[in-house]
Amino acid sequence: MKKLVSSLVMATLLFSGISVVAAADTAVTPTVKHAKAEKKEENRAKLNAKAAKWGVETTDKTNKEVKAAIQEAKAAKKADNAEKKAAKEAKKQEQLAKLNDKAGKLGVDTTGKTAKEVKAAIKNAKEAKKTENAEKKAAKEANKQEQLESLKEKATKWGVDTAGKSAKEIKAEIEVKKAEKKENKK
C-alpha cells in the first residue's frame, strides 16, 4: 500500500512539475540570474576578505588569480614558519652544546638530561665549587694565621718587635738579628 501511495505522489509531482517549469521558464530566468549574481558577489566578498587577511592585492584580478595569490601567500607563510622553526631548533641545539661544554668543564654528567636538568646540575656544581673554594680560602687563611703566630713566637725569641709589621718585615728583622748574632760570635 505504501508503494502505491508513494508512486501516486511521485507521478503527481512529476506531471505538475513539468507544467510549472514549462510555464515559469521564462519568468524565472531573471530571478535565477539575480540569485547567481548575488552568490557571485558574496563569493567575491569572501575571497576579498581572505585576500586581505593574507595581504594579497585583488584589484584587476580574477577570482582564480586571487585564489592562486592566496595559495602562494600561504605557501610563503608555511616556508617562513618552517625556517623559523629550523632556526629555533638550531639555536636550541647550540645552547645545549654550550651547556654540555660548561657541564663538561665542571665535571657534570649530562647523559639523558634535558636542557633544564643540565642547567640545574651546572648551577649545583657551581655552588659546590664556590663552597669548596671558600673552604680552601678559609683553610689557607687559617694556615697563614698559624704561620704568623709561629713567626711572632720566633720574633719574641729573637727580641724583634712585631707590632704593626707584616710577616715579611718580621722575617727580615729576624734574619738581621740572626746575622748580627753570627757576627758577634766571630
Side-chain angles (χ1 to χ4, degrees):
M1 180 77 172
K2 288 182 182 178
K3 286 184 181 181
L4 181 62
V5 172
S6 59
S7 295
L8 286 173
V9 171
M10 290 300 281
T12 307
L13 290 174
L14 181 64
F15 290 117
S16 65
I18 291 172
S19 62
V20 170
V21 171
D25 199 13
T26 57
V28 174
T29 305
T31 310
V32 171
K33 284 184 181 177
H34 181 65
K36 283 185 180 180
E38 283 181 4
K39 186 72 171 172
K40 195 172 187 179
E41 285 299 317
E42 198 176 291
N43 286 342
R44 183 63 181 199
K46 285 181 183 177
L47 194 58
N48 285 343
K50 222 183 221 186
K53 177 184 172 190
W54 288 98
V56 173
E57 180 61 41
T58 60
T59 309
D60 298 331
K61 290 186 179 179
T62 65
N63 286 356
K64 285 185 179 181
E65 290 172 336
V66 172
K67 285 179 183 177
I70 290 172
Q71 290 301 321
E72 287 176 17
K74 283 182 179 180
K77 179 74 169 178
K78 205 177 225 184
D80 187 42
N81 287 344
E83 285 179 18
K84 285 180 182 177
K85 189 175 182 180
K88 188 176 181 180
E89 185 62 33
K91 186 175 180 181
K92 190 176 180 181
Q93 290 301 322
E94 184 180 322
Q95 287 175 338
L96 186 60
K98 286 180 181 179
L99 285 174
N100 285 336
D101 286 344
K102 282 182 182 179
K105 289 177 183 176
L106 293 170
V108 175
D109 183 28
T110 61
T111 308
K113 291 182 180 177
T114 65
K116 286 183 179 180
E117 292 171 337
V118 171
K119 283 181 183 179
I122 289 172
K123 185 178 178 181
N124 290 340
K126 283 183 177 180
E127 288 174 3
K129 190 160 187 137
K130 280 182 183 178
T131 303
E132 181 183 329
N133 287 342
E135 289 173 357
K136 283 181 181 178
K137 191 173 182 179
K140 190 174 182 181
E141 187 61 34
N143 189 22
K144 196 174 182 182
Q145 288 298 324
E146 192 176 296
Q147 287 177 348
L148 184 61
E149 289 301 317
S150 174
L151 192 60
K152 284 181 179 181
E153 287 176 14
K154 260 188 184 177
T156 305
K157 180 180 171 186
W158 284 96
V160 174
D161 183 30
T162 61
K165 294 180 182 174
S166 68
K168 286 183 179 179
E169 291 171 337
I170 295 171
K171 282 182 184 178
E173 285 191 28
I174 291 174
E175 291 301 319
V176 168
K177 292 280 184 174
K178 283 183 180 179
E180 287 176 2
K181 188 173 183 180
K182 271 189 180 178
E183 282 294 319
N184 289 339
K185 279 187 178 180
K186 288 185 180 181

